[in-house]
PDB file of all heavy atoms in Angstrom:
ATOM      1  N   ILE A  24      -7.078  13.239 -24.013  1.00  0.00           N
ATOM      2  CA  ILE A  24      -7.563  11.962 -23.327  1.00  0.00           C
ATOM      3  C   ILE A  24      -8.867  11.626 -23.865  1.00  0.00           C
ATOM      4  O   ILE A  24      -9.200  10.301 -24.081  1.00  0.00           O
ATOM      5  CB  ILE A  24      -7.717  12.242 -21.819  1.00  0.00           C
ATOM      6  CG1 ILE A  24      -6.211  12.511 -21.196  1.00  0.00           C
ATOM      7  CG2 ILE A  24      -8.371  11.158 -21.004  1.00  0.00           C
ATOM      8  CD1 ILE A  24      -5.216  11.475 -21.293  1.00  0.00           C
ATOM      9  N   ASN A  25      -9.849  12.507 -24.127  1.00  0.00           N
ATOM     10  CA  ASN A  25     -11.007  12.246 -24.762  1.00  0.00           C
ATOM     11  C   ASN A  25     -10.933  11.613 -26.055  1.00  0.00           C
ATOM     12  O   ASN A  25     -11.650  10.623 -26.421  1.00  0.00           O
ATOM     13  CB  ASN A  25     -12.037  13.466 -24.836  1.00  0.00           C
ATOM     14  CG  ASN A  25     -12.646  13.821 -23.484  1.00  0.00           C
ATOM     15  OD1 ASN A  25     -12.977  12.969 -22.805  1.00  0.00           O
ATOM     16  ND2 ASN A  25     -12.784  15.076 -23.275  1.00  0.00           N
ATOM     17  N   ALA A  26     -10.054  12.142 -26.929  1.00  0.00           N
ATOM     18  CA  ALA A  26      -9.774  11.603 -28.182  1.00  0.00           C
ATOM     19  C   ALA A  26      -9.284  10.127 -28.146  1.00  0.00           C
ATOM     20  O   ALA A  26      -9.698   9.196 -28.955  1.00  0.00           O
ATOM     21  CB  ALA A  26      -8.707  12.487 -28.949  1.00  0.00           C
ATOM     22  N   VAL A  27      -8.463   9.907 -27.178  1.00  0.00           N
ATOM     23  CA  VAL A  27      -7.882   8.443 -27.005  1.00  0.00           C
ATOM     24  C   VAL A  27      -9.019   7.523 -26.491  1.00  0.00           C
ATOM     25  O   VAL A  27      -9.160   6.375 -26.971  1.00  0.00           O
ATOM     26  CB  VAL A  27      -6.591   8.389 -26.014  1.00  0.00           C
ATOM     27  CG1 VAL A  27      -6.334   7.002 -25.863  1.00  0.00           C
ATOM     28  CG2 VAL A  27      -5.418   9.094 -26.749  1.00  0.00           C
ATOM     29  N   ALA A  28      -9.848   8.060 -25.611  1.00  0.00           N
ATOM     30  CA  ALA A  28     -11.028   7.379 -25.203  1.00  0.00           C
ATOM     31  C   ALA A  28     -11.961   6.950 -26.357  1.00  0.00           C
ATOM     32  O   ALA A  28     -12.505   5.801 -26.426  1.00  0.00           O
ATOM     33  CB  ALA A  28     -11.710   8.012 -24.123  1.00  0.00           C
ATOM     34  N   ARG A  29     -12.313   8.069 -27.142  1.00  0.00           N
ATOM     35  CA  ARG A  29     -13.026   7.660 -28.401  1.00  0.00           C
ATOM     36  C   ARG A  29     -12.331   6.643 -29.337  1.00  0.00           C
ATOM     37  O   ARG A  29     -13.001   5.726 -29.909  1.00  0.00           O
ATOM     38  CB  ARG A  29     -13.310   8.903 -29.174  1.00  0.00           C
ATOM     39  CG  ARG A  29     -14.339   9.786 -28.568  1.00  0.00           C
ATOM     40  CD  ARG A  29     -14.830  10.988 -29.433  1.00  0.00           C
ATOM     41  NE  ARG A  29     -13.657  11.833 -29.899  1.00  0.00           N
ATOM     42  CZ  ARG A  29     -13.237  12.848 -29.273  1.00  0.00           C
ATOM     43  NH1 ARG A  29     -13.535  13.133 -28.083  1.00  0.00           N
ATOM     44  NH2 ARG A  29     -12.111  13.536 -29.830  1.00  0.00           N
ATOM     45  N   GLN A  30     -11.060   6.682 -29.426  1.00  0.00           N
ATOM     46  CA  GLN A  30     -10.226   5.667 -30.200  1.00  0.00           C
ATOM     47  C   GLN A  30     -10.534   4.332 -29.536  1.00  0.00           C
ATOM     48  O   GLN A  30     -10.558   3.325 -30.326  1.00  0.00           O
ATOM     49  CB  GLN A  30      -8.779   6.081 -30.239  1.00  0.00           C
ATOM     50  CG  GLN A  30      -7.873   5.024 -30.921  1.00  0.00           C
ATOM     51  CD  GLN A  30      -8.102   5.192 -32.493  1.00  0.00           C
ATOM     52  OE1 GLN A  30      -8.600   6.199 -33.054  1.00  0.00           O
ATOM     53  NE2 GLN A  30      -7.722   4.147 -33.177  1.00  0.00           N
ATOM     54  N   SER A  31     -10.452   4.187 -28.281  1.00  0.00           N
ATOM     55  CA  SER A  31     -10.594   2.869 -27.597  1.00  0.00           C
ATOM     56  C   SER A  31     -12.079   2.311 -27.930  1.00  0.00           C
ATOM     57  O   SER A  31     -12.114   1.138 -28.343  1.00  0.00           O
ATOM     58  CB  SER A  31     -10.495   3.050 -26.052  1.00  0.00           C
ATOM     59  OG  SER A  31      -9.270   3.281 -25.586  1.00  0.00           O
ATOM     60  N   TRP A  32     -13.027   3.133 -27.951  1.00  0.00           N
ATOM     61  CA  TRP A  32     -14.340   2.626 -28.326  1.00  0.00           C
ATOM     62  C   TRP A  32     -14.393   2.298 -29.816  1.00  0.00           C
ATOM     63  O   TRP A  32     -14.984   1.218 -30.106  1.00  0.00           O
ATOM     64  CB  TRP A  32     -15.377   3.823 -28.026  1.00  0.00           C
ATOM     65  CG  TRP A  32     -16.845   3.318 -28.296  1.00  0.00           C
ATOM     66  CD1 TRP A  32     -17.648   2.682 -27.482  1.00  0.00           C
ATOM     67  CD2 TRP A  32     -17.522   3.470 -29.620  1.00  0.00           C
ATOM     68  NE1 TRP A  32     -18.774   2.402 -28.162  1.00  0.00           N
ATOM     69  CE2 TRP A  32     -18.780   2.910 -29.479  1.00  0.00           C
ATOM     70  CE3 TRP A  32     -17.286   4.167 -30.791  1.00  0.00           C
ATOM     71  CZ2 TRP A  32     -19.691   2.923 -30.410  1.00  0.00           C
ATOM     72  CZ3 TRP A  32     -18.141   4.106 -31.790  1.00  0.00           C
ATOM     73  CH2 TRP A  32     -19.376   3.520 -31.627  1.00  0.00           C
ATOM     74  N   ALA A  33     -13.880   3.161 -30.670  1.00  0.00           N
ATOM     75  CA  ALA A  33     -13.878   2.786 -32.163  1.00  0.00           C
ATOM     76  C   ALA A  33     -13.072   1.577 -32.408  1.00  0.00           C
ATOM     77  O   ALA A  33     -13.464   0.736 -33.303  1.00  0.00           O
ATOM     78  CB  ALA A  33     -13.341   4.033 -32.976  1.00  0.00           C
ATOM     79  N   GLY A  34     -11.966   1.390 -31.841  1.00  0.00           N
ATOM     80  CA  GLY A  34     -11.144   0.184 -31.914  1.00  0.00           C
ATOM     81  C   GLY A  34     -11.811  -1.095 -31.514  1.00  0.00           C
ATOM     82  O   GLY A  34     -11.703  -2.123 -32.102  1.00  0.00           O
ATOM     83  N   ASN A  35     -12.665  -0.943 -30.440  1.00  0.00           N
ATOM     84  CA  ASN A  35     -13.410  -2.089 -29.871  1.00  0.00           C
ATOM     85  C   ASN A  35     -14.535  -2.325 -31.004  1.00  0.00           C
ATOM     86  O   ASN A  35     -14.713  -3.666 -31.148  1.00  0.00           O
ATOM     87  CB  ASN A  35     -14.002  -1.706 -28.554  1.00  0.00           C
ATOM     88  CG  ASN A  35     -14.545  -2.907 -27.859  1.00  0.00           C
ATOM     89  OD1 ASN A  35     -13.757  -3.728 -27.416  1.00  0.00           O
ATOM     90  ND2 ASN A  35     -15.879  -3.016 -27.755  1.00  0.00           N
ATOM     91  N   GLU A  36     -15.144  -1.444 -31.496  1.00  0.00           N
ATOM     92  CA  GLU A  36     -16.165  -1.596 -32.453  1.00  0.00           C
ATOM     93  C   GLU A  36     -15.501  -2.372 -33.693  1.00  0.00           C
ATOM     94  O   GLU A  36     -16.142  -3.171 -34.373  1.00  0.00           O
ATOM     95  CB  GLU A  36     -16.821  -0.322 -32.827  1.00  0.00           C
ATOM     96  CG  GLU A  36     -17.682   0.224 -31.829  1.00  0.00           C
ATOM     97  CD  GLU A  36     -18.915  -0.730 -31.418  1.00  0.00           C
ATOM     98  OE1 GLU A  36     -19.702  -1.123 -32.183  1.00  0.00           O
ATOM     99  OE2 GLU A  36     -19.012  -1.129 -30.216  1.00  0.00           O
ATOM    100  N   LYS A  37     -14.308  -1.954 -34.087  1.00  0.00           N
ATOM    101  CA  LYS A  37     -13.694  -2.548 -35.185  1.00  0.00           C
ATOM    102  C   LYS A  37     -13.162  -4.044 -35.012  1.00  0.00           C
ATOM    103  O   LYS A  37     -13.420  -4.832 -35.759  1.00  0.00           O
ATOM    104  CB  LYS A  37     -12.506  -1.761 -35.628  1.00  0.00           C
ATOM    105  CG  LYS A  37     -11.575  -2.265 -36.723  1.00  0.00           C
ATOM    106  CD  LYS A  37     -10.347  -1.314 -36.957  1.00  0.00           C
ATOM    107  CE  LYS A  37      -9.382  -1.945 -37.943  1.00  0.00           C
ATOM    108  NZ  LYS A  37      -8.223  -1.086 -38.190  1.00  0.00           N
ATOM    109  N   HIS A  38     -12.617  -4.266 -33.815  1.00  0.00           N
ATOM    110  CA  HIS A  38     -11.982  -5.451 -33.541  1.00  0.00           C
ATOM    111  C   HIS A  38     -12.911  -6.525 -32.737  1.00  0.00           C
ATOM    112  O   HIS A  38     -12.689  -7.718 -32.706  1.00  0.00           O
ATOM    113  CB  HIS A  38     -10.644  -5.338 -32.803  1.00  0.00           C
ATOM    114  CG  HIS A  38      -9.574  -4.619 -33.555  1.00  0.00           C
ATOM    115  ND1 HIS A  38      -9.048  -5.149 -34.677  1.00  0.00           N
ATOM    116  CD2 HIS A  38      -9.003  -3.451 -33.474  1.00  0.00           C
ATOM    117  CE1 HIS A  38      -8.215  -4.274 -35.300  1.00  0.00           C
ATOM    118  NE2 HIS A  38      -8.205  -3.202 -34.560  1.00  0.00           N
ATOM    119  N   ASN A  39     -13.783  -5.919 -32.007  1.00  0.00           N
ATOM    120  CA  ASN A  39     -14.673  -6.664 -31.239  1.00  0.00           C
ATOM    121  C   ASN A  39     -16.181  -6.242 -31.311  1.00  0.00           C
ATOM    122  O   ASN A  39     -16.751  -5.898 -30.279  1.00  0.00           O
ATOM    123  CB  ASN A  39     -14.239  -6.636 -29.682  1.00  0.00           C
ATOM    124  CG  ASN A  39     -12.815  -6.901 -29.342  1.00  0.00           C
ATOM    125  OD1 ASN A  39     -12.370  -7.880 -29.793  1.00  0.00           O
ATOM    126  ND2 ASN A  39     -12.143  -5.803 -28.989  1.00  0.00           N
ATOM    127  N   PRO A  40     -16.614  -6.252 -32.585  1.00  0.00           N
ATOM    128  CA  PRO A  40     -18.002  -5.765 -32.679  1.00  0.00           C
ATOM    129  C   PRO A  40     -19.164  -6.445 -31.813  1.00  0.00           C
ATOM    130  O   PRO A  40     -19.146  -7.627 -31.796  1.00  0.00           O
ATOM    131  CB  PRO A  40     -18.282  -5.991 -34.267  1.00  0.00           C
ATOM    132  CG  PRO A  40     -17.333  -6.940 -34.671  1.00  0.00           C
ATOM    133  CD  PRO A  40     -16.070  -6.900 -33.761  1.00  0.00           C
ATOM    134  N   GLY A  41     -19.971  -5.561 -31.316  1.00  0.00           N
ATOM    135  CA  GLY A  41     -20.974  -6.147 -30.361  1.00  0.00           C
ATOM    136  C   GLY A  41     -20.598  -6.611 -29.059  1.00  0.00           C
ATOM    137  O   GLY A  41     -21.462  -6.908 -28.197  1.00  0.00           O
ATOM    138  N   GLU A  42     -19.369  -6.563 -28.658  1.00  0.00           N
ATOM    139  CA  GLU A  42     -18.763  -6.883 -27.255  1.00  0.00           C
ATOM    140  C   GLU A  42     -18.603  -5.771 -26.502  1.00  0.00           C
ATOM    141  O   GLU A  42     -18.421  -4.633 -26.993  1.00  0.00           O
ATOM    142  CB  GLU A  42     -17.587  -7.628 -27.498  1.00  0.00           C
ATOM    143  CG  GLU A  42     -17.602  -8.991 -28.200  1.00  0.00           C
ATOM    144  CD  GLU A  42     -16.279  -9.751 -28.355  1.00  0.00           C
ATOM    145  OE1 GLU A  42     -15.368  -9.509 -27.361  1.00  0.00           O
ATOM    146  OE2 GLU A  42     -16.107 -10.519 -29.302  1.00  0.00           O
ATOM    147  N   PRO A  43     -18.769  -5.849 -25.192  1.00  0.00           N
ATOM    148  CA  PRO A  43     -18.434  -4.713 -24.340  1.00  0.00           C
ATOM    149  C   PRO A  43     -17.047  -4.198 -24.474  1.00  0.00           C
ATOM    150  O   PRO A  43     -16.120  -4.965 -24.975  1.00  0.00           O
ATOM    151  CB  PRO A  43     -18.598  -5.339 -22.830  1.00  0.00           C
ATOM    152  CG  PRO A  43     -19.451  -6.570 -23.075  1.00  0.00           C
ATOM    153  CD  PRO A  43     -19.022  -7.095 -24.505  1.00  0.00           C
ATOM    154  N   LEU A  44     -16.820  -2.944 -24.259  1.00  0.00           N
ATOM    155  CA  LEU A  44     -15.490  -2.371 -24.333  1.00  0.00           C
ATOM    156  C   LEU A  44     -14.484  -3.122 -23.561  1.00  0.00           C
ATOM    157  O   LEU A  44     -14.521  -3.341 -22.383  1.00  0.00           O
ATOM    158  CB  LEU A  44     -15.548  -0.817 -23.876  1.00  0.00           C
ATOM    159  CG  LEU A  44     -14.279  -0.090 -24.017  1.00  0.00           C
ATOM    160  CD1 LEU A  44     -13.839   0.086 -25.403  1.00  0.00           C
ATOM    161  CD2 LEU A  44     -14.472   1.328 -23.307  1.00  0.00           C
ATOM    162  N   HIS A  45     -13.406  -3.630 -24.304  1.00  0.00           N
ATOM    163  CA  HIS A  45     -12.115  -4.195 -23.637  1.00  0.00           C
ATOM    164  C   HIS A  45     -11.125  -4.235 -24.527  1.00  0.00           C
ATOM    165  O   HIS A  45     -11.179  -4.089 -25.710  1.00  0.00           O
ATOM    166  CB  HIS A  45     -12.573  -5.590 -23.299  1.00  0.00           C
ATOM    167  CG  HIS A  45     -12.848  -6.546 -24.378  1.00  0.00           C
ATOM    168  ND1 HIS A  45     -13.989  -6.560 -25.099  1.00  0.00           N
ATOM    169  CD2 HIS A  45     -12.017  -7.581 -24.852  1.00  0.00           C
ATOM    170  CE1 HIS A  45     -13.868  -7.457 -26.117  1.00  0.00           C
ATOM    171  NE2 HIS A  45     -12.701  -8.172 -25.988  1.00  0.00           N
ATOM    172  N   TRP A  46      -9.846  -4.404 -23.946  1.00  0.00           N
ATOM    173  CA  TRP A  46      -8.601  -4.382 -24.699  1.00  0.00           C
ATOM    174  C   TRP A  46      -8.290  -5.862 -25.071  1.00  0.00           C
ATOM    175  O   TRP A  46      -7.974  -6.647 -24.120  1.00  0.00           O
ATOM    176  CB  TRP A  46      -7.577  -3.704 -23.973  1.00  0.00           C
ATOM    177  CG  TRP A  46      -6.195  -3.761 -24.626  1.00  0.00           C
ATOM    178  CD1 TRP A  46      -5.799  -4.130 -25.800  1.00  0.00           C
ATOM    179  CD2 TRP A  46      -4.940  -3.369 -23.950  1.00  0.00           C
ATOM    180  NE1 TRP A  46      -4.360  -3.994 -25.946  1.00  0.00           N
ATOM    181  CE2 TRP A  46      -3.919  -3.519 -24.817  1.00  0.00           C
ATOM    182  CE3 TRP A  46      -4.732  -2.948 -22.667  1.00  0.00           C
ATOM    183  CZ2 TRP A  46      -2.526  -3.193 -24.494  1.00  0.00           C
ATOM    184  CZ3 TRP A  46      -3.382  -2.652 -22.408  1.00  0.00           C
ATOM    185  CH2 TRP A  46      -2.242  -2.679 -23.336  1.00  0.00           C
ATOM    186  N   SER A  47      -8.393  -6.325 -26.306  1.00  0.00           N
ATOM    187  CA  SER A  47      -8.093  -7.648 -26.639  1.00  0.00           C
ATOM    188  C   SER A  47      -6.538  -7.688 -26.931  1.00  0.00           C
ATOM    189  O   SER A  47      -6.067  -7.529 -28.137  1.00  0.00           O
ATOM    190  CB  SER A  47      -8.870  -8.059 -28.018  1.00  0.00           C
ATOM    191  OG  SER A  47     -10.216  -8.103 -27.663  1.00  0.00           O
ATOM    192  N   ARG A  48      -5.810  -7.872 -25.898  1.00  0.00           N
ATOM    193  CA  ARG A  48      -4.308  -7.798 -25.996  1.00  0.00           C
ATOM    194  C   ARG A  48      -3.834  -8.915 -26.838  1.00  0.00           C
ATOM    195  O   ARG A  48      -2.779  -8.645 -27.453  1.00  0.00           O
ATOM    196  CB  ARG A  48      -3.843  -8.033 -24.563  1.00  0.00           C
ATOM    197  CG  ARG A  48      -4.106  -6.823 -23.583  1.00  0.00           C
ATOM    198  CD  ARG A  48      -3.583  -7.171 -22.260  1.00  0.00           C
ATOM    199  NE  ARG A  48      -4.018  -6.016 -21.347  1.00  0.00           N
ATOM    200  CZ  ARG A  48      -3.069  -5.550 -20.344  1.00  0.00           C
ATOM    201  NH1 ARG A  48      -1.972  -6.191 -20.123  1.00  0.00           N
ATOM    202  NH2 ARG A  48      -3.444  -4.547 -19.625  1.00  0.00           N
ATOM    203  N   GLU A  49      -4.484 -10.083 -27.047  1.00  0.00           N
ATOM    204  CA  GLU A  49      -3.906 -11.073 -27.844  1.00  0.00           C
ATOM    205  C   GLU A  49      -4.027 -10.682 -29.266  1.00  0.00           C
ATOM    206  O   GLU A  49      -3.354 -11.543 -30.182  1.00  0.00           O
ATOM    207  CB  GLU A  49      -4.638 -12.435 -27.503  1.00  0.00           C
ATOM    208  CG  GLU A  49      -6.094 -12.550 -27.995  1.00  0.00           C
ATOM    209  CD  GLU A  49      -7.154 -11.754 -27.196  1.00  0.00           C
ATOM    210  OE1 GLU A  49      -6.780 -11.100 -26.141  1.00  0.00           O
ATOM    211  OE2 GLU A  49      -8.284 -11.713 -27.600  1.00  0.00           O
ATOM    212  N   LYS A  50      -4.860  -9.832 -29.747  1.00  0.00           N
ATOM    213  CA  LYS A  50      -5.074  -9.559 -31.141  1.00  0.00           C
ATOM    214  C   LYS A  50      -3.939  -8.742 -31.847  1.00  0.00           C
ATOM    215  O   LYS A  50      -3.826  -8.759 -32.923  1.00  0.00           O
ATOM    216  CB  LYS A  50      -6.370  -8.866 -31.415  1.00  0.00           C
ATOM    217  CG  LYS A  50      -7.504  -9.719 -31.112  1.00  0.00           C
ATOM    218  CD  LYS A  50      -8.852  -9.107 -31.470  1.00  0.00           C
ATOM    219  CE  LYS A  50     -10.010 -10.119 -31.195  1.00  0.00           C
ATOM    220  NZ  LYS A  50     -11.322  -9.491 -31.522  1.00  0.00           N
ATOM    221  N   SER A  51      -3.177  -8.032 -30.993  1.00  0.00           N
ATOM    222  CA  SER A  51      -2.145  -7.184 -31.555  1.00  0.00           C
ATOM    223  C   SER A  51      -1.044  -6.807 -30.471  1.00  0.00           C
ATOM    224  O   SER A  51      -1.462  -6.360 -29.390  1.00  0.00           O
ATOM    225  CB  SER A  51      -2.672  -5.982 -32.162  1.00  0.00           C
ATOM    226  OG  SER A  51      -1.560  -5.075 -32.732  1.00  0.00           O
ATOM    227  N   SER A  52       0.158  -7.093 -30.789  1.00  0.00           N
ATOM    228  CA  SER A  52       1.293  -6.747 -29.833  1.00  0.00           C
ATOM    229  C   SER A  52       2.266  -5.954 -30.370  1.00  0.00           C
ATOM    230  O   SER A  52       3.274  -5.636 -29.648  1.00  0.00           O
ATOM    231  CB  SER A  52       1.803  -7.978 -29.112  1.00  0.00           C
ATOM    232  OG  SER A  52       2.444  -8.811 -30.245  1.00  0.00           O
ATOM    233  N   ASP A  53       2.198  -5.577 -31.638  1.00  0.00           N
ATOM    234  CA  ASP A  53       3.243  -4.754 -32.303  1.00  0.00           C
ATOM    235  C   ASP A  53       2.896  -3.283 -32.229  1.00  0.00           C
ATOM    236  O   ASP A  53       2.908  -2.499 -33.161  1.00  0.00           O
ATOM    237  CB  ASP A  53       3.399  -5.132 -33.734  1.00  0.00           C
ATOM    238  CG  ASP A  53       2.078  -4.991 -34.643  1.00  0.00           C
ATOM    239  OD1 ASP A  53       0.986  -4.957 -33.953  1.00  0.00           O
ATOM    240  OD2 ASP A  53       2.188  -4.982 -35.815  1.00  0.00           O
ATOM    241  N   HIS A  54       2.741  -2.786 -30.922  1.00  0.00           N
ATOM    242  CA  HIS A  54       2.289  -1.474 -30.761  1.00  0.00           C
ATOM    243  C   HIS A  54       3.261  -0.380 -31.244  1.00  0.00           C
ATOM    244  O   HIS A  54       2.853   0.554 -31.852  1.00  0.00           O
ATOM    245  CB  HIS A  54       2.104  -1.202 -29.216  1.00  0.00           C
ATOM    246  CG  HIS A  54       1.047  -2.153 -28.601  1.00  0.00           C
ATOM    247  ND1 HIS A  54      -0.243  -2.150 -29.085  1.00  0.00           N
ATOM    248  CD2 HIS A  54       1.114  -3.116 -27.793  1.00  0.00           C
ATOM    249  CE1 HIS A  54      -1.031  -3.015 -28.534  1.00  0.00           C
ATOM    250  NE2 HIS A  54      -0.150  -3.629 -27.715  1.00  0.00           N
TER     251      HIS A  54
END
Side-chain angles (χ1 to χ4, degrees):
I24 297 295
N25 279 325
V27 172
R29 284 190 306 275
Q30 178 71 21
S31 288
W32 183 85
N35 193 72
E36 290 298 301
K37 175 182 174 181
H38 296 292
N39 311 299
E42 296 180 24
L44 181 64
H45 68 286
W46 176 9
S47 295
R48 294 176 179 216
E49 72 283 356
K50 290 188 177 179
S51 178
S52 61
D53 58 340
H54 299 297

